Amino acid sequence: MRISRPVTVYTPSSERGLANAIVAGISARAHFGSQTLDRHLLAHHSSDRGTALVLLPLEGARWKDTELSALKGAIMVGSLSSSTSMIRGLAAGAHAAINSRLPFQSLLDEVHAALCVDANQPLPDKTFLAQRIRIRAEESERIATLTDREFEILGSLYNGWNVDAIARTAHIAPTTVRAHIRSILHKLEVHSQLEACALLHRSGHDARAIPLELRIGRY
């Protein structure tokens, strides 16, 4: 299904590159053009600008009352560190909240799905969505407690490496790798390596911090 309404992406200056990439991705699937505007203009959003897509800064947004009023039907894109802002935005009437740490193509797919919701479909359960954001934010906080070495080992497990392969690459003993894995499972409050990898994937932390032009591919 192609997007049939224009989209205005409101972005802080820190997310301008991602905003331009999203606009390019949307334009490839839309009948109408899209544009980016500074986020401080969100309070003046009107229906002739189509659907508002709001990028949140890493630290979240301090919503003004006029901005909250403009969020009705909007789509928010932000990291789990801005979960409080996203939950408040949902309460104000935003239609969807999307994790900005998703791989770019997956992010575009989520945005496209949110923009193409059938009017005959039931509206999403905002309470359930807010609760899911809280859970994901808590998981992300647990991942943040991992040391650099633990995160490196968890990433290796996620990529399918076994203990011996990790030990050879990291130049440490297999017993040390197993000790790190036990610490990882304890900190993440999970019982298996599979659960730890699934938690890593859900949080978006499996997308490594790489240059934007590599994340977004042809866009």
Side-chain angles (χ1 to χ4, degrees):
M1 182 184 297
R2 291 181 67 83
I3 300 166
S4 57
R5 295 191 67 206
V7 178
T8 299
V9 180
Y10 293 93
T11 177
S13 57
S14 60
E15 300 294 340
R16 178 71 61 182
L18 178 59
N20 290 337
I22 290 175
V23 165
I26 291 173
S27 297
R29 310 183 185 195
H31 295 296
F32 295 92
S34 302
Q35 62 177 334
T36 62
L37 293 175
D38 287 337
R39 202 184 71 80
H40 73 272
L41 296 175
L42 172 62
H44 306 290
H45 181 75
S46 57
S47 57
D48 62 308
R49 291 179 178 169
T51 302
L53 193 154
V54 185
L55 297 188
L56 302 182
L58 188 63
E59 67 276 10
R62 295 181 179 179
W63 298 118
K64 299 176 182 177
D65 289 341
T66 49
E67 291 176 331
L68 288 171
S69 299
L71 283 177
K72 186 173 182 180
I75 298 167
M76 297 177 295
V77 177
S79 70
L80 290 170
S81 61
S82 60
S83 59
T84 300
S85 299
M86 288 196 287
I87 291 170
R88 191 175 181 200
L90 288 170
H95 168 66
I98 299 170
N99 186 354
S100 62
R101 294 186 66 106
L102 289 172
F104 186 69
Q105 193 59 51
S106 298
L107 173 60
L108 272 188
D109 290 342
E110 291 286 339
V111 168
H112 183 264
L115 289 170
C116 294
V117 172
D118 191 326
N120 296 320
Q121 290 181 340
L123 293 174
D125 185 339
K126 301 290 183 64
T127 302
F128 171 76
L129 183 54
Q131 180 61 22
R132 189 169 65 179
I133 291 172
R134 289 190 186 96
I135 292 171
R136 297 292 176 266
E138 290 170 0
E139 291 176 344
S140 184
E141 289 173 0
R142 294 203 292 272
I143 289 175
T145 66
L146 300 180
T147 65
D148 289 343
R149 175 65 89 183
E150 288 169 345
F151 188 83
E152 178 186 356
I153 288 173
L154 179 56
S156 297
L157 292 172
Y158 180 83
N159 288 321
W161 293 22
N162 61 27
V163 169
D164 290 336
I166 295 171
R168 285 195 301 272
T169 302
H171 304 292
I172 55 179
T175 53
T176 303
V177 175
R178 293 189 183 94
H180 280 306
I181 292 174
R182 287 195 296 271
S183 178
I184 291 167
L185 299 184
H186 174 73
K187 288 181 177 180
L188 298 187
E189 301 177 18
V190 296
H191 302 289
S192 70
Q193 296 176 31
L194 182 60
E195 288 181 86
C197 291
L199 191 154
L200 182 72
H201 178 73
R202 289 195 302 268
S203 70
H205 280 283
D206 57 308
R208 294 294 189 266
I210 57 177
L212 180 64
E213 61 270 18
L214 296 181
R215 255 189 84 203
I216 64 180
R218 67 185 178 90
Y219 296 104

